[in-house]
Amino acid sequence: MLSRTLLSAIALLPALVVAQLSGTVGPSTSAAKKAATKTCDVTKYGAVADKSTDIGPPLVSAWADCKSGGVVVVPKGDYAIATWATLTGGSKVAIQLDGVIYRTGTAGGNMIFIENTDDFELFSSKGGGAIQGNGYQIHAKGSSSGARILRLYKVTNFSVHDLVLVDAPAFHFSMDTCKNGEVYNMAIRGGNMGGLDGIDVWSTNIWIHDVMVTNKDECVTVKSPATNILVENIYCNWSGGCALGSLGANTAISKVTYKNVYTWSSNQMLMIKSNGGSGYVEDVVFENFIGHGNAYSLDIDQYWSSMSTVAGDGVQLSNVTFKNWKGTEANGAQRGPVKILCADKAPCTGISVTDFAMWTESGSKQWYACQSAYGSGFCLKAGSAKSYGVTTSTQTAAPTGYSAAKMAGDLATAFGTTQSIPIPTIPTSYYPGATPYSAIAGR
Ligand SMILES: *[C@@H]1O[C@H](CO)[C@@H](O)[C@H](O)[C@H]1NC(C)=O
Ligand SMILES: *[C@@H]1O[C@H](CO)[C@@H](O)[C@H](O)[C@H]1NC(C)=O
Ligand SMILES: *[C@@H]1O[C@H](CO)[C@@H](O)[C@H](O)[C@H]1NC(C)=O
């Protein structure tokens, strides 16, 4: 499927969730129609599938010829990218990446940067397209500076799908200041260290679904400003975990839903992180989460010590729902499954935790902790307004109904940071029992 209307989204999704999108996502014109207008094969512009000729300039030239209507094609084969491609000002354009592009250049910035473009699609026609960042060559030296693999900036009516991104020197994929996007059927696999974020998004009306991330930082994370974001069927297959944040001054995040998120061996299942700051996070839902082997689970920390304090009373959180969370955490006495520490000068309101049952994998107790947090469930207080200090309750018996399915393919050992990371195939499932919305391209 190349573009989706709100009508088809309504047919597929329950009412609560559809409210988070605000109209059409995806390209307005199909790739087939664009191809009928024009195709620009990079091998006609100097690209050679020899894993050493720089594909950067050919990509830029092919884009220039097809950017006003057409498809840039990277045929099957192994290519090298030594200089980065900034692709700007497109309309009715697609990039069909069927080959594998290996990083050989060493600059920072973005290996592929799409900006100021409308009606755009980046995809592989058979699910085999990949970008191999070879980040281990940098990480092995103890550094995580280097390029992001893919950035979209001011791109509207677009999709990115059926692609694999591997071992970014720095981040893997960010979308900022974009609108009406769909991202799906993706495997992102990075090294086991911080700074190698999977997907970061701050944009309007974006549907991210059926994505797997392996790394040790953000899985799929929403930053500010963002509204109408739906994140669904996400497999954090050994990662840092999903988050909102870090949040600073003038935060503006609303109408975000995460649904069907499976998290294995990560820092947290979901974290909202800030330290001071201002603005708001409102009308957000985290529904159907399964976790195993994670450090934190539900973790709101408005005094997050890994972030230096930002001026302001704190980001105001309101109307935040956590619903149907199951599974186990690594050590509940050390890091309890419910931690809701809100800013004393901006207490959280309308936090709801329902149908939540998790238990510890080691020992026989776990804690729940709240601070300046109002709403219902666990240690949340009724009412609003006044700050209160951390209240902790300890539980010594497993709650009923905590057990939850595991994914058969949970990564057993991290990839580390010193060796080449193999390119995976796109998974066929991202959450126990959930079927991806679209079949893998070409199958
Ligand atoms: C994107 O798509 C919407 C809905 O089809 C359309 O109204 C809009 O003009 C398109 N382009 C931009 C830049 O938003
Ligand atoms: C709370 O947020 C949900 C999800 O965005 C929304 O459907 C609901 O209307 C909001 N409730 C209020 C009282 O604003
Ligand atoms: C999880 O990651 C590991 C390592 O990449 C892989 O072997 C496994 O197949 C992944 N799971 C799925 C369901 O793709």
Side-chain angles (χ1 to χ4, degrees):
M1 237 174 282
L2 298 160
S3 86
R4 294 166 193 281
T5 63
L6 182 60
L7 279 179
S8 72
I10 286 169
L12 290 167
L13 305 167
L16 173 73
V17 159
V18 93
Q20 301 306 41
L21 292 177
S22 67
T24 307
V25 293
S28 322
T29 310
S30 73
K33 222 168 172 184
K34 289 168 183 167
T37 305
K38 193 171 187 176
T39 61
C40 301
D41 181 331
V42 290
T43 61
K44 306 262 157 48
Y45 296 82
V48 185
D50 62 358
K51 226 177 161 181
S52 78
T53 304
D54 184 11
I55 197 177
L59 255 182
V60 171
S61 308
W63 174 269
D65 268 9
C66 260
K67 73 173 189 178
S68 304
V71 180
V72 173
V73 178
V74 179
K76 216 162 178 271
D78 290 342
Y79 303 84
I81 188 162
T83 56
W84 304 162
T86 294
L87 309 176
T88 193
S91 173
K92 290 192 175 52
V93 55
I95 301 175
Q96 181 179 327
L97 173 57
D98 289 338
V100 179
I101 299 179
Y102 295 80
R103 179 188 65 84
T104 56
T106 54
N110 303 285
M111 289 167 59
I112 311 273
F113 183 18
I114 321 286
E115 60 171 359
N116 298 314
T117 290
D118 182 48
D119 192 356
F120 172 72
E121 183 170 0
L122 171 59
F123 70 108
S124 84
S125 66
K126 296 192 170 58
I131 303 176
Q132 166 60 278
N134 284 322
Y136 77 99
Q137 295 165 350
I138 293 160
H139 307 151
K141 297 179 198 148
S143 167
S144 67
S145 69
R148 186 192 272 113
I149 290 182
L150 177 64
R151 179 180 176 200
L152 269 56
Y153 172 67
K154 290 193 175 170
V155 179
T156 50
N157 301 320
F158 68 96
S159 66
V160 175
H161 62 99
D162 294 284
L163 277 188
V164 180
L165 307 180
V166 182
D167 201 11
F171 314 100
H172 287 84
F173 179 14
S174 80
M175 276 164 279
D176 62 285
T177 326
C178 294
K179 202 175 166 187
N180 303 343
E182 183 180 11
V183 171
Y184 60 99
N185 291 358
M186 287 191 72
I188 295 176
R189 183 195 265 184
N192 192 50
M193 68 190 283
L196 307 182
D197 301 14
I199 297 183
D200 293 310
V201 58
W202 58 109
S203 286
T204 300
N205 199 39
I206 309 287
W207 187 18
I208 299 171
H209 60 96
D210 301 299
V211 170
M212 176 175 73
V213 174
T214 299
N215 60 6
K216 208 60 198 174
D217 211 318
E218 311 298 341
C219 182
V220 177
T221 282
V222 174
K223 296 175 180 284
S224 175
T227 189
N228 298 111
I229 310 285
L230 175 56
V231 180
E232 245 186 312
N233 295 351
I234 303 300
Y235 184 12
C236 308
N237 181 7
W238 194 302
S239 172
C242 293
L244 304 190
S246 318
L247 308 175
N250 306 313
T251 294
I253 294 181
S254 64
K255 298 195 177 90
V256 174
T257 288
Y258 278 70
K259 193 185 172 203
N260 294 0
V261 177
Y262 180 89
T263 310
W264 154 247
S265 195
S266 296
N267 301 341
Q268 77 270 341
M269 290 167 69
L270 188 281
M271 184 173 188
I272 302 180
K273 47 189 176 182
S274 61
N275 190 355
S278 57
Y280 61 87
V281 171
E282 65 188 20
D283 305 336
V284 301
V285 178
F286 304 99
E287 195 181 10
N288 308 344
F289 274 57
I290 291 176
H292 295 290
N294 303 299
Y296 286 106
S297 301
L298 190 180
D299 183 8
I300 296 179
D301 191 345
Q302 297 204 273
Y303 291 97
W304 190 42
S305 59
S306 300
M307 175 181 179
S308 44
T309 313
V310 177
D313 287 348
V315 177
Q316 174 70 59
L317 308 189
S318 64
N319 188 21
V320 181
T321 297
F322 300 90
K323 196 172 154 188
N324 188 26
W325 282 47
K326 300 285 150 66
T328 53
E329 74 273 1
N331 184 336
Q334 221 167 55
R335 298 184 183 89
V338 175
K339 178 181 157 200
I340 305 178
L341 307 186
C342 297
D344 288 332
K345 289 183 178 166
C348 301
T349 61
I351 310 287
S352 158
V353 184
T354 58
D355 192 12
F356 184 110
M358 297 202 56
W359 184 238
T360 185
E361 288 162 20
S362 58
S364 54
K365 61 180 181 187
Q366 65 183 18
W367 52 252
Y368 309 123
C370 294
Q371 173 182 350
S372 299
Y374 291 90
S376 60
F378 295 93
C379 48
L380 290 156
K381 293 195 179 180
S384 64
K386 274 194 168 160
S387 68
Y388 63 88
V390 181
T391 64
T392 304
S393 61
T394 301
Q395 188 180 23
T396 54
T400 51
Y402 74 87
S403 79
K406 284 194 169 180
M407 295 291 278
D410 283 348
L411 173 60
T413 316
F415 286 107
T417 53
T418 58
Q419 281 172 14
S420 176
I421 298 182
I423 298 172
T425 53
I426 295 173
T428 50
S429 178
Y430 302 82
Y431 186 84
T435 308
Y437 281 94
S438 304
I440 295 169
R443 276 181 219 169

